[in-house]
């Protein structure tokens, strides 16, 4: 009787195993991954997340697909699509910090382009320009327009108009760029006008010797006026207190005046840096939008990654 019960338990386990894994085996999929973890389900859910703008979650599902069904997507396709989804999800620092896992070929060129864009969007303008100058690989002519646009934008953001003009007036412009030459001329004029509004922080620092002038030099006149009035009033109260032999009150007013004065000097410096950062970020967004960087990401992913736009 005991042996009979043991045999029934073994039989029940075997039947349960085939009930769970049988359909997956018949479908040629990994056992136990039928239904919600099937290849088509994961891929469909990934595309659903992309359509709804949930790019980071889509990158996690793409990683699941690559682990469960490695034959569905190559390492090169995965590396391109994963980086593409992170870019669409604004995970720029994560993309910028990633290294090249590809030995070469088009996927490595795509990853270099995406990394340079991520550095731009993370405000690492010099790192982006350095990567474009020395990508560490040879890319064929199909990538010419992609690299040209990014070198051009890097020159504009780096306030190097002569370099940008030289790139624009060269005789061997890629055909796609040649058709939109006027657009890039307008981008050059626009960037020069925007960057002319930036102020060297050290100038605002020295201007801060006059209360509020540092803020005004940095472009924030209302705050500069308030700082000038506050320091002037407190200084006057300090002098008046000492003249009326009210030394404790004079010390108090003097300390507050000194605090506002030093804050005005430091504030002008910080305001200049903040103003410059905002101008460059707005300029970057405008230039990248005009150059069609986001459209490039879609095109590169569709050509070298896994198409994620299908229904």
């Amino acid at each position: 009787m005991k042996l009979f019960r043991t045999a029934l338990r073994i039989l029940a386990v075997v039947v349960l195993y085939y009930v769970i894994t049988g359909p997956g085996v018949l479908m040629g999929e990994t056992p136990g991954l039928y239904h919600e973890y099937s290849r088509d389900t994961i891929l469909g859910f990934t595309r659903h997340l992309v359509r709804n703008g949930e790019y980071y979650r889509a990158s996690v599902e793409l990683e699941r697909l690559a682990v469960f069904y490695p034959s569905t997507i190559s390492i090169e396709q995965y590396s391109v699509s994963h980086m593409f989804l992170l870019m669409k999800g604004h995970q720029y620092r994560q993309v910028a910090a990633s290294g090249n896992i590809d030995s070469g070929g088009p996927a490595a060129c795509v990853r270099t382009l995406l990394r340079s864009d991520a550095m731009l969007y993370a405000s690492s303008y010099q790192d982006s320009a350095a990567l474009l100058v020395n990508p560490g690989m040879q890319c064929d002519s199909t990538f010419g327009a992609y690299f040209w646009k990014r070198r051009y934008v890097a020159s504009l953001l780096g306030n190097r108009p002569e370099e940008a003009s030289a790139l624009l007036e060269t005789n061997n412009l890629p055909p796609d760029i040649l058709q939109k030459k006027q657009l890039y001329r307008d981008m050059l004029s626009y960037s020069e006008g925007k960057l002319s509004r930036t102020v060297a922080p050290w100038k605002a620092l020295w201007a801060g010797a006059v209360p509020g002038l540092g803020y005004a030099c940095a472009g924030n006149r209302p705050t500069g006026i308030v700082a000038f009035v506050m320091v002037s009033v407190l200084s006057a109260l300090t002098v008046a207190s000492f003249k009326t032999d009210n030394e404790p009150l004079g010390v108090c007013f003097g300390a507050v005046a000194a605090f506002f004065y030093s804050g005005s000097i430091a504030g002008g410096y910080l305001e200049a840096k903040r103003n410059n950062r905002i101008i460059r970020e707005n300029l970057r967004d405008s230039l990248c939008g005009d150059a069609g960087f986001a459209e490039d990401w879609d095109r590169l992913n569709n050509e070298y990654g896994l198409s994620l736009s299908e229904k």
Side-chain angles (χ1 to χ4, degrees):
M1 182 61 68
K2 184 177 180 181
L3 182 61
F4 179 72
R5 285 198 298 267
T6 303
L8 283 178
R9 289 173 183 169
I10 295 174
L11 180 61
V13 171
V14 172
V15 170
L16 180 61
Y17 172 80
Y18 278 103
V19 167
I20 295 175
T21 64
V25 173
L26 294 176
M27 295 291 292
E29 298 177 345
T30 305
L33 297 182
Y34 193 56
H35 299 307
E36 68 268 25
Y37 293 123
S38 70
R39 179 189 58 195
D40 292 338
T41 301
I42 295 175
L43 185 56
F45 185 52
T46 303
R47 287 170 173 158
H48 167 76
L49 292 172
V50 171
R51 287 195 300 272
N52 286 277
E54 300 183 61
Y55 299 108
Y56 189 77
R57 288 186 61 194
S59 70
V60 175
E61 292 301 318
L62 184 69
E63 185 174 359
R64 191 197 306 275
L65 180 69
V67 172
F68 286 178
Y69 305 102
S71 61
T72 301
I73 179 172
S74 66
I75 295 177
E76 290 77 14
Q77 285 179 311
Y78 168 76
S79 65
V80 169
S81 293
H82 186 256
M83 187 174 283
F84 161 76
L85 291 172
L86 292 177
M87 288 294 291
K88 297 285 282 187
H90 308 297
Q91 304 296 316
Y92 303 126
R93 296 194 181 278
Q94 185 174 345
V95 175
S98 64
N100 265 333
I101 63 173
D102 313 292
S103 58
C109 297
V110 174
R111 286 175 57 86
T112 299
L113 290 169
L114 294 177
R115 283 186 65 209
S116 71
D117 290 356
M119 292 173 183
L120 275 184
Y121 279 95
S123 300
S124 300
Y125 305 118
Q126 293 181 350
D127 292 339
S128 176
L131 180 61
L132 293 171
V133 170
N134 185 23
M137 66 198 68
Q138 291 292 330
C139 300
D140 59 43
S141 59
T142 59
F143 291 95
Y146 295 117
F147 275 98
W148 186 94
K149 285 194 289 188
R150 282 149 180 83
R151 292 191 182 105
Y152 187 74
V153 170
S155 299
L156 297 180
L157 288 173
N159 200 13
R160 300 188 298 275
E162 298 83 3
E163 180 181 325
S165 297
L167 283 170
L168 189 58
E169 300 305 327
T170 185
N171 294 325
N172 57 344
L173 282 175
D176 293 344
I177 305 301
L178 192 58
Q179 294 174 2
K180 300 179 179 179
K181 195 170 183 179
Q182 185 57 46
L183 169 65
Y184 292 100
R185 287 198 182 103
D186 294 341
M187 289 167 59
L188 175 58
S189 301
Y190 178 75
S191 65
E192 286 179 323
K194 279 288 187 180
L195 292 175
S196 66
R197 295 165 51 189
T198 59
V199 177
W202 65 267
K203 291 183 178 180
L205 181 66
W206 284 107
V210 177
L213 188 58
Y215 278 109
C217 182
N220 192 344
R221 291 184 180 180
T223 302
I225 293 173
V226 171
F228 176 78
V229 171
M230 289 294 297
V231 173
S232 299
V233 170
L234 288 169
S235 299
L237 290 173
T238 301
V239 173
S241 298
F242 279 106
K243 282 186 175 181
T244 57
D245 296 327
N246 197 342
E247 293 184 359
L249 193 59
V251 170
C252 180
F253 279 130
V256 176
F259 173 80
F260 273 96
Y261 179 64
S262 59
S264 173
I265 296 175
Y269 174 82
L270 296 175
E271 182 69 17
K273 293 190 68 174
R274 188 185 74 87
N275 186 55
N276 291 349
R277 176 178 56 81
I278 292 174
I279 289 175
R280 288 185 183 277
E281 288 179 354
N282 291 337
L283 177 61
R284 175 203 65 202
D285 294 343
S286 178
L287 294 177
C288 292
D290 290 342
F293 278 22
E295 290 79 3
D296 289 348
W297 303 342
D298 293 327
R299 193 177 303 110
L300 289 168
N301 179 69
N302 288 333
E303 291 181 8
Y304 301 102
L306 181 68
S307 177
L308 298 171
S309 59
E310 299 177 7
K311 295 182 179 181

